Protein backbone atom coordinates (compact mmCIF):
# COMPACT_ATOMS: atom_id res chain seq x y z
CA UNK A 1 0.00 0.00 0.00
CA UNK A 2 1.27 3.46 -0.90
CA UNK A 3 1.30 6.23 1.69
CA UNK A 4 1.79 9.97 1.54
CA UNK A 5 2.41 12.17 4.57
CA UNK A 6 3.82 15.59 5.41
CA UNK A 7 6.86 16.50 7.48
CA UNK A 8 9.62 19.04 8.03
CA UNK A 9 13.26 18.66 6.95
CA UNK A 10 15.45 19.04 10.03
CA UNK A 11 18.81 18.41 8.36
CA UNK A 12 20.29 17.71 4.94
CA UNK A 13 23.76 16.20 4.44
CA UNK A 14 25.10 14.87 1.14
CA UNK A 15 21.69 14.39 -0.46
CA UNK A 16 20.26 12.57 2.58
CA UNK A 17 17.49 14.42 4.40
CA UNK A 18 16.34 13.93 7.98
CA UNK A 19 12.59 14.56 8.23
CA UNK A 20 10.33 14.70 11.26
CA UNK A 21 6.97 13.42 10.03
CA UNK A 22 3.68 14.92 11.15
CA UNK A 23 1.05 13.10 13.13
CA UNK A 24 -2.13 13.02 11.03
CA UNK A 25 -5.05 12.11 13.33
CA UNK A 26 -7.68 11.76 10.59
CA UNK A 27 -5.64 9.66 8.16
CA UNK A 28 -2.68 8.19 10.05
CA UNK A 29 0.17 6.48 8.20
CA UNK A 30 2.52 3.83 9.68
CA UNK A 31 5.47 6.25 10.17
CA UNK A 32 3.50 9.18 11.62
CA UNK A 33 5.47 11.17 14.19
CA UNK A 34 8.74 9.38 13.42
CA UNK A 35 12.03 10.94 12.35
CA UNK A 36 13.21 9.32 9.13
CA UNK A 37 16.09 9.69 6.68
CA UNK A 38 15.56 9.57 2.92
CA UNK A 39 16.49 11.06 -0.44
CA UNK A 40 14.57 13.38 -2.76
CA UNK A 41 13.15 12.51 -6.16
CA UNK A 42 15.56 13.20 -9.01
CA UNK A 43 13.13 15.68 -10.58
CA UNK A 44 14.21 18.36 -8.08
CA UNK A 45 17.78 18.21 -9.38
CA UNK A 46 16.56 18.57 -12.97
CA UNK A 47 14.43 21.56 -11.94
CA UNK A 48 17.38 23.17 -10.12
CA UNK A 49 15.56 23.01 -6.78
CA UNK A 50 17.27 21.92 -3.59
CA UNK A 51 15.28 20.80 -0.55
CA UNK A 52 16.37 22.84 2.47
CA UNK A 53 16.25 22.43 6.24
CA UNK A 54 12.99 24.04 7.34
CA UNK A 55 11.13 22.94 4.21
CA UNK A 56 7.71 21.42 4.65
CA UNK A 57 7.64 18.41 2.33
CA UNK A 58 5.41 15.62 1.06
CA UNK A 59 6.96 12.19 1.74
CA UNK A 60 5.86 9.04 -0.09
CA UNK A 61 6.57 5.38 0.67
CA UNK A 62 5.20 1.89 0.14
CA UNK A 63 4.30 -0.34 3.06
CA UNK A 64 6.41 -3.07 1.40
CA UNK A 65 9.64 -1.18 2.30
CA UNK A 66 8.85 -1.14 6.03
CA UNK A 67 10.32 -3.53 8.56
CA UNK A 68 9.06 -4.26 12.07
CA UNK A 69 10.98 -3.69 15.29
CA UNK A 70 11.05 -6.02 18.30
CA UNK A 71 7.73 -4.64 19.53
CA UNK A 72 6.13 -5.30 16.14
CA UNK A 73 5.95 -1.61 15.18
CA UNK A 74 6.63 -0.52 11.59
CA UNK A 75 10.04 1.04 11.07
CA UNK A 76 11.85 2.31 7.95
CA UNK A 77 15.13 0.99 6.61
CA UNK A 78 18.02 2.92 8.16
CA UNK A 79 19.19 4.26 4.80
CA UNK A 80 15.67 5.40 3.93
CA UNK A 81 15.43 3.16 0.88
CA UNK A 82 11.95 3.11 -0.60
CA UNK A 83 11.04 6.45 0.99
CA UNK A 84 11.37 9.72 -0.92
CA UNK A 85 10.59 13.42 -0.83
CA UNK A 86 7.92 13.80 -3.52
CA UNK A 87 7.16 17.50 -3.25
CA UNK A 88 8.27 20.69 -1.49
CA UNK A 89 5.37 22.73 -0.15
CA UNK A 90 5.37 26.49 -0.89
CA UNK A 91 8.02 28.42 1.05
CA UNK A 92 7.45 31.65 2.95
CA UNK A 93 11.15 32.48 2.45
CA UNK A 94 14.49 30.86 1.60
CA UNK A 95 17.93 32.02 2.75
CA UNK A 96 21.24 31.44 0.96
CA UNK A 97 23.70 31.20 3.85
CA UNK A 98 22.82 29.52 6.05
CA UNK A 99 20.71 27.53 3.58
CA UNK A 100 17.29 27.16 5.16
CA UNK A 101 13.64 27.76 4.41
CA UNK A 102 10.61 29.09 6.28
CA UNK A 103 12.48 30.89 9.07
CA UNK A 104 9.95 32.97 11.04
CA UNK A 105 11.82 34.49 14.00
CA UNK A 106 15.46 35.65 14.08
CA UNK A 107 17.09 36.49 17.41
CA UNK A 108 19.67 39.10 16.38
CA UNK A 109 22.38 39.01 19.05
CA UNK A 110 25.01 41.64 19.86
CA UNK A 111 27.23 42.32 22.87
CA UNK A 112 27.20 45.50 24.91
CA UNK A 113 31.02 45.28 24.85
CA UNK A 114 33.89 42.97 23.89
CA UNK A 115 33.21 43.02 21.00
CA UNK A 116 31.58 46.44 20.67
CA UNK A 117 28.46 46.19 18.51
CA UNK A 118 28.72 47.11 14.83
CA UNK A 119 25.29 48.63 14.34
CA UNK A 120 25.47 48.82 10.51
CA UNK A 121 26.00 45.03 10.45
CA UNK A 122 23.18 44.49 12.96
CA UNK A 123 20.84 46.70 10.93
CA UNK A 124 21.80 44.98 7.68
CA UNK A 125 20.79 41.62 9.19
CA UNK A 126 17.54 43.14 10.46
CA UNK A 127 16.73 44.53 6.99
CA UNK A 128 17.34 41.15 5.33
CA UNK A 129 15.04 39.55 7.91
CA UNK A 130 12.36 42.20 7.43
CA UNK A 131 12.44 41.79 3.64
CA UNK A 132 11.92 38.04 4.06
CA UNK A 133 9.02 38.53 6.54
CA UNK A 134 11.14 37.14 9.37
CA UNK A 135 10.48 38.79 12.74
CA UNK A 136 13.74 40.21 14.21
CA UNK A 137 14.09 40.07 18.00
CA UNK A 138 17.02 41.97 19.49
CA UNK A 139 19.28 40.43 22.15
CA UNK A 140 21.88 42.68 23.83
CA UNK A 141 24.25 40.35 25.67
CA UNK A 142 27.20 40.77 28.07
CA UNK A 143 25.33 43.49 29.95
CA UNK A 144 27.59 42.82 32.95
CA UNK A 145 30.46 44.43 30.98
CA UNK A 146 28.62 47.70 30.25
CA UNK A 147 25.12 47.93 31.74
CA UNK A 148 24.54 51.52 30.57
CA UNK A 149 25.40 50.72 26.94
CA UNK A 150 23.21 47.60 27.06
CA UNK A 151 20.18 49.63 28.20
CA UNK A 152 20.93 52.29 25.58
CA UNK A 153 20.92 49.68 22.80
CA UNK A 154 17.75 48.10 24.13
CA UNK A 155 16.04 51.50 24.16
CA UNK A 156 17.25 52.25 20.61
CA UNK A 157 15.75 49.05 19.16
CA UNK A 158 12.61 49.09 21.30
CA UNK A 159 11.91 52.59 19.98
CA UNK A 160 12.44 51.31 16.43
CA UNK A 161 9.63 48.79 17.03
CA UNK A 162 11.44 45.56 17.97
CA UNK A 163 11.09 43.28 20.96
CA UNK A 164 14.45 43.81 22.71
CA UNK A 165 16.11 42.06 25.65
CA UNK A 166 19.15 42.76 27.81
CA UNK A 167 20.95 39.58 28.86
CA UNK A 168 23.93 38.59 31.00
CA UNK A 169 24.76 34.89 30.85
CA UNK A 170 27.45 35.56 33.45
CA UNK A 171 24.83 36.75 35.96
CA UNK A 172 21.86 34.80 34.61
CA UNK A 173 19.94 38.01 33.89
CA UNK A 174 17.35 38.31 31.11
CA UNK A 175 17.41 34.62 30.19
CA UNK A 176 13.99 33.91 31.75
CA UNK A 177 12.52 36.86 29.82
CA UNK A 178 13.83 35.53 26.48
CA UNK A 179 12.52 32.05 27.33
CA UNK A 180 9.13 33.56 28.16
CA UNK A 181 9.06 35.41 24.81
CA UNK A 182 9.78 32.13 22.99
CA UNK A 183 6.99 30.32 24.86
CA UNK A 184 4.48 33.08 24.13
CA UNK A 185 5.47 34.17 20.61
CA UNK A 186 7.58 31.50 18.91
CA UNK A 187 6.38 28.17 20.32
CA UNK A 188 4.92 27.08 16.98
CA UNK A 189 7.45 28.82 14.74
CA UNK A 190 10.88 28.15 13.27
CA UNK A 191 13.44 30.39 14.99
CA UNK A 192 17.22 30.89 14.83
CA UNK A 193 19.89 32.93 16.59
CA UNK A 194 22.35 35.12 14.68
CA UNK A 195 25.22 37.34 15.73
CA UNK A 196 28.88 38.16 15.17
CA UNK A 197 31.55 35.85 16.56
CA UNK A 198 32.19 36.35 20.25
CA UNK A 199 28.92 38.04 21.20
CA UNK A 200 27.87 35.11 23.39
CA UNK A 201 25.20 33.61 21.11
CA UNK A 202 26.18 29.98 21.78
CA UNK A 203 26.45 30.58 25.52
CA UNK A 204 22.96 32.09 25.55
CA UNK A 205 21.52 29.20 23.52
CA UNK A 206 23.05 26.69 25.93
CA UNK A 207 21.61 28.59 28.91
CA UNK A 208 18.17 28.71 27.28
CA UNK A 209 18.28 25.12 26.05
CA UNK A 210 20.51 23.01 28.36
CA UNK A 211 19.80 19.83 26.36
CA UNK A 212 20.98 21.44 23.09
CA UNK A 213 24.69 20.63 23.66
CA UNK A 214 23.82 16.99 24.28
CA UNK A 215 21.55 16.85 21.22
CA UNK A 216 24.12 18.46 18.92
CA UNK A 217 26.71 16.05 20.35
CA UNK A 218 24.49 13.10 19.48
CA UNK A 219 24.15 14.44 15.92
CA UNK A 220 27.95 14.79 15.66
CA UNK A 221 28.51 11.21 16.78
CA UNK A 222 25.95 9.96 14.29
CA UNK A 223 27.77 11.88 11.54
CA UNK A 224 31.11 10.39 12.71
CA UNK A 225 32.62 13.64 13.95
CA UNK A 226 34.75 13.81 17.07
CA UNK A 227 33.10 16.96 18.39
CA UNK A 228 30.29 19.24 17.39
CA UNK A 229 31.07 22.02 14.96
CA UNK A 230 28.06 23.49 13.27
CA UNK A 231 28.59 22.97 9.54
CA UNK A 232 25.01 22.27 8.54
CA UNK A 233 21.70 23.71 9.63
CA UNK A 234 19.98 21.37 12.08
CA UNK A 235 16.50 21.91 13.50
CA UNK A 236 15.62 20.80 17.03
CA UNK A 237 12.00 20.53 18.25
CA UNK A 238 11.17 23.24 20.79
CA UNK A 239 9.02 20.71 22.64
CA UNK A 240 12.23 18.86 23.57
CA UNK A 241 14.34 21.94 24.28
CA UNK A 242 12.39 24.35 26.45
CA UNK A 243 10.37 23.50 29.57
CA UNK A 244 6.76 24.58 29.20
CA UNK A 245 6.71 23.89 25.45
CA UNK A 246 5.46 20.30 25.60
CA UNK A 247 2.77 20.73 22.93
CA UNK A 248 4.74 23.22 20.82
CA UNK A 249 5.30 22.50 17.12
CA UNK A 250 8.16 25.01 16.68
CA UNK A 251 11.86 24.43 16.11
CA UNK A 252 15.13 26.12 17.01
CA UNK A 253 17.73 26.04 14.22
CA UNK A 254 21.38 25.43 15.08
CA UNK A 255 23.22 27.13 12.21
CA UNK A 256 26.80 27.76 11.07
CA UNK A 257 26.03 31.50 11.17
CA UNK A 258 24.41 34.18 9.05
CA UNK A 259 27.63 34.99 7.25
CA UNK A 260 26.36 36.15 3.88
CA UNK A 261 25.50 39.85 4.05
CA UNK A 262 26.98 41.06 0.76
CA UNK A 263 24.31 43.12 -0.98
CA UNK A 264 26.33 43.76 -4.13
CA UNK A 265 26.77 40.07 -4.99
CA UNK A 266 23.57 38.52 -3.70
CA UNK A 267 20.02 39.26 -4.65
CA UNK A 268 18.47 40.24 -1.34
CA UNK A 269 16.43 43.18 -2.63
CA UNK A 270 16.66 46.38 -4.67
CA UNK A 271 17.40 49.83 -3.25
CA UNK A 272 13.77 50.87 -3.83
CA UNK A 273 12.73 48.16 -1.34
CA UNK A 274 15.17 49.31 1.34
CA UNK A 275 12.92 51.90 3.08
CA UNK A 276 10.28 49.18 3.54
CA UNK A 277 12.80 47.13 5.56
CA UNK A 278 13.23 49.95 8.12
CA UNK A 279 10.09 49.66 10.25
CA UNK A 280 10.86 52.88 12.15
CA UNK A 281 10.64 54.73 8.79
CA UNK A 282 7.11 53.42 8.12
CA UNK A 283 5.08 56.34 9.61
CA UNK A 284 6.98 58.82 7.43
CA UNK A 285 7.07 57.07 4.05
CA UNK A 286 4.83 58.84 1.56
CA UNK A 287 4.99 62.07 3.61
CA UNK A 288 8.03 63.58 1.85
CA UNK A 289 7.81 66.66 -0.40
CA UNK A 290 9.08 64.67 -3.40
CA UNK A 291 7.50 61.36 -4.38
CA UNK A 292 10.88 59.96 -5.49
CA UNK A 293 12.65 61.00 -2.26
CA UNK A 294 15.65 58.77 -1.45
CA UNK A 295 15.64 59.84 2.24
CA UNK A 296 19.34 60.65 1.97
CA UNK A 297 19.53 64.46 1.92
CA UNK A 298 16.48 65.94 0.13
CA UNK A 299 14.71 69.06 1.37
CA UNK A 300 11.28 68.27 2.79
CA UNK A 301 12.15 64.63 3.60
CA UNK A 302 9.85 63.41 6.37
CA UNK A 303 12.34 60.69 7.38
CA UNK A 304 15.18 63.22 7.83
CA UNK A 305 12.83 65.46 9.81
CA UNK A 306 12.04 62.50 12.08
CA UNK A 307 15.80 61.92 12.59
CA UNK A 308 16.28 65.61 13.47
CA UNK A 309 13.41 65.44 15.99
CA UNK A 310 14.83 62.28 17.55
CA UNK A 311 11.91 60.08 16.45
CA UNK A 312 14.31 57.92 14.41
CA UNK A 313 17.71 57.10 15.92
CA UNK A 314 20.65 58.65 13.96
CA UNK A 315 22.41 55.24 13.91
CA UNK A 316 19.41 53.69 12.13
CA UNK A 317 19.55 56.37 9.41
CA UNK A 318 23.32 55.98 9.12
CA UNK A 319 22.81 52.24 8.54
CA UNK A 320 20.14 53.06 5.94
CA UNK A 321 22.62 55.28 4.05
CA UNK A 322 25.33 52.60 4.23
CA UNK A 323 23.03 49.87 2.88
CA UNK A 324 21.66 52.24 0.21
CA UNK A 325 25.22 52.89 -1.01
CA UNK A 326 25.81 49.13 -1.24
CA UNK A 327 22.58 48.58 -3.17
CA UNK A 328 23.02 51.41 -5.67
CA UNK A 329 26.20 49.71 -6.92
CA UNK A 330 24.50 46.35 -7.39
CA UNK A 331 24.30 45.10 -10.98
CA UNK A 332 22.14 42.22 -12.23
CA UNK A 333 25.13 40.36 -13.63
CA UNK A 334 26.88 40.25 -10.22
CA UNK A 335 24.08 38.28 -8.54
CA UNK A 336 24.00 34.58 -7.97
CA UNK A 337 20.69 32.77 -7.93
CA UNK A 338 19.12 32.14 -4.55
CA UNK A 339 17.31 28.94 -3.60
CA UNK A 340 13.81 28.74 -5.13
Amino acid sequence: MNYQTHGRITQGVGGLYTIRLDVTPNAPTPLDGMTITCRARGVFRHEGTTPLPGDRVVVGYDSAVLKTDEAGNPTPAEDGSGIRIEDILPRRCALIRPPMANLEVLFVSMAAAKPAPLLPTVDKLISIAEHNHIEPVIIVGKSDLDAARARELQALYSKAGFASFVVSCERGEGIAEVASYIRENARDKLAAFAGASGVGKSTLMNRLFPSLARMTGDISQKNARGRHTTREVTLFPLSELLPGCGEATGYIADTPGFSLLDFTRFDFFEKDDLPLTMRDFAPYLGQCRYSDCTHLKEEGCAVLEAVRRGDIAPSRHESFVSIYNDLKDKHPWTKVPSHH
Side-chain angles (χ1 to χ4, degrees):
M1 184 172 179
N2 290 316
Y3 293 101
Q4 267 196 345
T5 187
H6 289 184
R8 190 186 290 269
I9 298 177
T10 59
Q11 192 185 51
V13 182
L16 271 176
Y17 299 94
T18 304
I19 302 168
R20 192 175 174 106
L21 298 176
D22 296 350
V23 174
T24 48
N26 297 330
T29 71
L31 300 183
D32 269 13
M34 292 184 65
T35 297
I36 57 121
T37 301
C38 70
R39 297 190 179 274
R41 290 174 63 210
V43 67
F44 296 121
R45 190 166 59 252
H46 300 311
E47 292 172 353
T49 303
T50 305
L52 297 172
D55 267 328
R56 297 275 304 149
V57 293
V58 178
V59 174
Y61 60 95
D62 191 302
S63 56
V65 306
L66 304 180
K67 302 177 179 179
T68 53
D69 62 16
E70 291 175 0
N73 298 314
T75 183
E78 202 166 301
D79 64 356
S81 57
I83 307 174
R84 68 225 154 262
I85 296 172
E86 295 190 338
D87 199 7
I88 299 170
L89 298 176
R91 293 168 173 163
R92 69 191 309 277
C93 64
L95 300 177
I96 304 167
R97 193 181 300 161
M100 62 185 302
N102 298 320
L103 185 63
E104 294 169 274
V105 181
L106 183 62
F107 291 92
V108 179
S109 307
M110 68 186 98
K114 295 186 178 177
L118 297 172
L119 297 188
T121 302
V122 169
D123 290 332
K124 190 181 277 192
L125 190 52
I126 290 171
S127 281
I128 292 169
E130 291 274 53
H131 182 71
N132 284 284
H133 309 292
I134 300 164
E135 180 64 24
V137 177
I138 311 304
I139 307 283
V140 185
K142 299 190 180 181
S143 64
D144 49 288
L145 299 182
D146 192 337
R149 179 60 169 153
R151 295 292 169 195
E152 184 184 301
L153 290 165
Q154 182 190 33
L156 188 161
Y157 285 100
S158 294
K159 187 174 183 178
F162 302 101
S164 305
F165 298 91
V166 168
V167 167
S168 168
C169 291
E170 185 74 22
R171 295 177 180 163
E173 295 168 359
I175 293 164
E177 287 80 358
V178 177
S180 179
Y181 177 91
I182 294 170
R183 286 190 198 97
E184 291 171 19
N185 300 283
R187 58 183 291 113
D188 297 321
K189 296 179 179 177
L190 173 52
F193 286 71
S197 179
V199 301
K201 174 175 65 80
S202 298
T203 306
L204 172 60
M205 288 181 72
N206 286 328
R207 290 294 298 272
L208 282 166
F209 317 116
S211 60
L212 185 63
R214 175 182 55 76
M215 293 169 83
T216 53
D218 290 346
I219 292 277
S220 295
Q221 276 192 331
K222 191 175 174 183
N223 292 347
R225 298 201 196 111
R227 61 189 178 85
H228 174 64
T229 52
T230 307
R231 297 179 194 174
E232 299 91 20
V233 175
T234 305
L235 273 50
F236 295 97
L238 204 47
S239 59
E240 298 175 14
L241 288 178
L242 190 64
C245 285
E247 299 299 316
T249 58
Y251 291 82
I252 295 292
D254 189 31
T255 78
F258 287 71
S259 55
L260 201 159
L261 297 176
D262 183 353
F263 279 100
T264 56
R265 289 187 59 228
F266 294 91
D267 189 15
F268 291 114
F269 48 83
E270 306 298 328
K271 69 178 187 297
D272 292 344
D273 297 321
L274 176 60
L276 301 175
T277 73
M278 309 290 289
R279 68 171 63 176
D280 36 347
F281 287 21
Y284 313 103
L285 299 180
Q287 308 298 316
C288 303
R289 182 184 302 170
Y290 304 109
S291 60
D292 59 349
C293 186
T294 62
H295 317 299
L296 299 178
K297 54 185 181 229
E298 291 91 340
E299 286 294 319
C301 173
V303 169
L304 288 173
E305 280 299 321
V307 175
R308 279 190 277 271
R309 286 195 309 269
D311 295 336
I312 293 174
S315 67
R316 288 282 288 164
H317 187 259
E318 288 162 14
S319 294
F320 170 82
V321 173
S322 171
I323 298 171
Y324 184 95
N325 287 331
D326 284 344
L327 291 172
K328 74 178 172 59
D329 296 329
K330 189 176 78 171
H331 302 293
W333 59 86
T334 60
K335 302 174 193 172
V336 300
S338 59
H339 291 285
H340 292 294

